[in-house]
Amino acid sequence: MEWERFAALVEHVTAHNESLMAFVHCKIYYSGRAEAELDWGDRMLIIKQDNALLIHQPENGNPINYLKPGARITLYQEDHALILEGTHPQTHDVIQCEIQEVHDAMSAKLDDGKKQVLAGTEADMSDHLKNNPELISNDFKPLSREEHTQYGFIDVFGHDGNGNLVVVECKRYAASLACITQLRRYVEKIQELKGTKNVRGVMASPKITPNAKTMLEDWGFSWVRVEPPKRLLINRNQKTLGDWG
Amino acid sequence: MEWERFAALVEHVTAHNESLMAFVHCKIYYSGRAEAELDWGDRMLIIKQDNALLIHQPENGNPINYLKPGARITLYQEDHALILEGTHPQTHDVIQCEIQEVHDAMSAKLDDGKKQVLAGTEADMSDHLKNNPELISNDFKPLSREEHTQYGFIDVFGHDGNGNLVVVECKRYAASLACITQLRRYVEKIQELKGTKNVRGVMASPKITPNAKTMLEDWGFSWVRVEPPKRLLINRNQKTLGDWG
DNA sequence: TACTACATCTCGCAT
DNA sequence: ATGCGAGGTGTAGTA
């Protein structure tokens, strides 16, 4: 594609809040929170209608370079090079994408704004534990969920039948060292706030790493195996037919 | 675009390891680590040549749905609906993208494989500190960098002039509570391994949050203000001319 | 493979 | 705005 046509397209989408996707052969410089350089190669270039800029390599899931929504995007020539430059007024990031060839490009005015409905998060899990306290122990009485303390917020907080306060930290994945120190931090904070040493720490997660288990036991905490919350959704998977390929 | 043409395009790119980008009006179901549903709207659909699948809304930086590289992608009709389905054999994630209309689509065989050269990371920072120990203190003698211990690895490790071991943890951003507990973990582990209480903990970062500072002081650690190094310093920014827009 | 920690993490929520 | 923690986190490095 001729540079002029591409330039007109970029001009159009930035002026009209449209979205653009392009295949380009380019070289990239980035400066901002870090500094980076990427040598010549074919990439996918995306400008969203909120002026987010994404540059993807043809492999891997994440963009190799990006600017958050709100970038200022300009295109100019310099010494026979076509340069797409994005600068972000808030983050002070700069991307310079030196384009040698535009293989293909297209734009569209997209109408969306829908929010995704998500289930199976840690919040669902702590909710589940508060409603099913016997998963922690037979005498566990939950008092609150997601209680905020100065040192963070506690997923589930309560007491047991022996006059102990109980702090529960949930993780929806294997609990690691960092998770145990997080629990420790909450336990110590509650001990300080309530002026008692009778605070039990409970890690609730589907798994726990060996080092984390050792550390947990060293500090007298306990671990309860809890499965991440059940699948809620729909079974559209019983398709029957009709592949083209 | 007619569904048949789009189907042929999808078939072609998956068969030949090409990349595809499309504007589509769709509705999305996801099931995997969590479950999600996204109502009708215009989105950008991307299939990479490693069979990563990305679906972007026209705003925000991140994909609203995605599959990692290695997905199996099929397209079929069901009750007058066109469904692009991606399933991931390893992660067991499924995306079903019900497509009402393909506004536009294009594909290309992309040639890349270049690696980004990055500077200003935490590794650069610990390197910088090891080579400039006076940034920690006048009597700091670094011994090692990124030393691995059972409880994690220590960014910079050394000793001072008073017979103390010194553990330095670097962060390229504002040090938070979690960062201090990480430092604490390393200090305690070294105390245990070396059988001495003479272990100083030093947090090196450009900033530190107030709570983190309090916690750090409670435990007798210290904070040193260090900026993350940037070494590339591309100065292509002095462009002169030639905006189209 | 599992575990650990970084990331230009991003994002939402609460203060 | 800042602090804090979750995330369908992803990714690299190491044992």
Side-chain angles (χ1 to χ4, degrees), chain B residues 24-196:
Chain B
V24 299
H25 189 78
C26 68
K27 187 173 177 178
I28 305 167
Y29 304 87
Y30 159 75
S31 176
R33 286 206 280 223
E35 310 249 334
E37 182 172 346
L38 182 63
D39 205 355
W40 292 106
D42 292 328
R43 277 118 211 178
M44 300 155 157
L45 191 148
I46 297 169
I47 300 172
K48 290 196 181 188
Q49 61 193 43
D50 59 1
N51 280 327
L53 173 64
L54 303 174
I55 301 169
H56 277 267
Q57 291 184 295
E59 303 202 338
N60 303 317
N62 283 354
I64 191 68
N65 284 110
Y66 58 91
L67 293 177
K68 293 180 189 174
R72 238 175 39 82
I73 292 165
T74 57
L75 192 68
Y76 59 92
Q77 278 193 62
E78 187 183 85
D79 300 333
H80 303 283
L82 178 65
I83 298 176
L84 180 100
E85 180 173 295
T87 62
H88 202 291
Q90 280 77 46
T91 65
H92 303 289
D93 289 338
V94 180
I95 287 178
Q96 289 175 338
C97 181
E98 184 175 340
I99 298 174
Q100 191 173 74
E101 193 184 338
V102 179
H103 299 308
D104 207 347
M106 63 190 188
S107 70
K109 180 80 177 168
L110 300 181
D111 182 21
D112 195 351
K114 293 292 169 13
K115 282 274 190 179
Q116 187 165 230
V117 179
L118 192 68
T121 62
E122 192 180 286
D124 290 323
M125 202 168 155
S126 64
D127 204 43
H128 184 63
L129 286 175
K130 181 162 190 295
N131 295 330
N132 301 273
E134 72 281 0
L135 292 172
I136 301 300
S137 69
N138 289 330
D139 60 351
F140 177 56
K141 307 289 179 204
L143 295 170
S144 66
R145 193 176 76 85
E146 307 203 341
E147 166 145 328
H148 286 258
T149 72
Q150 198 193 355
Y151 272 17
F153 75 88
I154 293 171
D155 290 337
V156 187
F157 180 66
H159 60 87
D160 66 14
N162 300 320
N164 297 303
L165 298 172
V166 179
V167 172
V168 181
E169 173 62 29
C170 322
K171 292 294 166 192
R172 52 189 311 288
Y173 47 86
S176 65
L177 292 171
C179 304
I180 307 301
T181 58
Q182 187 182 359
L183 174 61
R184 179 185 184 184
R185 185 150 51 87
Y186 298 158
V187 167
E188 288 179 348
K189 187 60 183 177
I190 292 296
Q191 285 176 337
E192 181 190 324
L193 289 173
K194 307 286 182 180
T196 171

Side-chain angles (χ1 to χ4, degrees), chain A residues 122 151-152 169 171-172 182 185:
Chain A
E122 191 181 287
Y151 274 15
E169 173 64 27
K171 293 293 165 190
R172 49 191 309 289
Q182 187 182 358
R185 185 148 53 85

Side-chain angles (χ1 to χ4, degrees), chain A residues 37 44 193-194 203 239:
Chain A
E37 183 172 345
M44 299 155 160
L193 288 173
K194 309 285 182 181
M203 172 59 59
K239 66 175 159 89

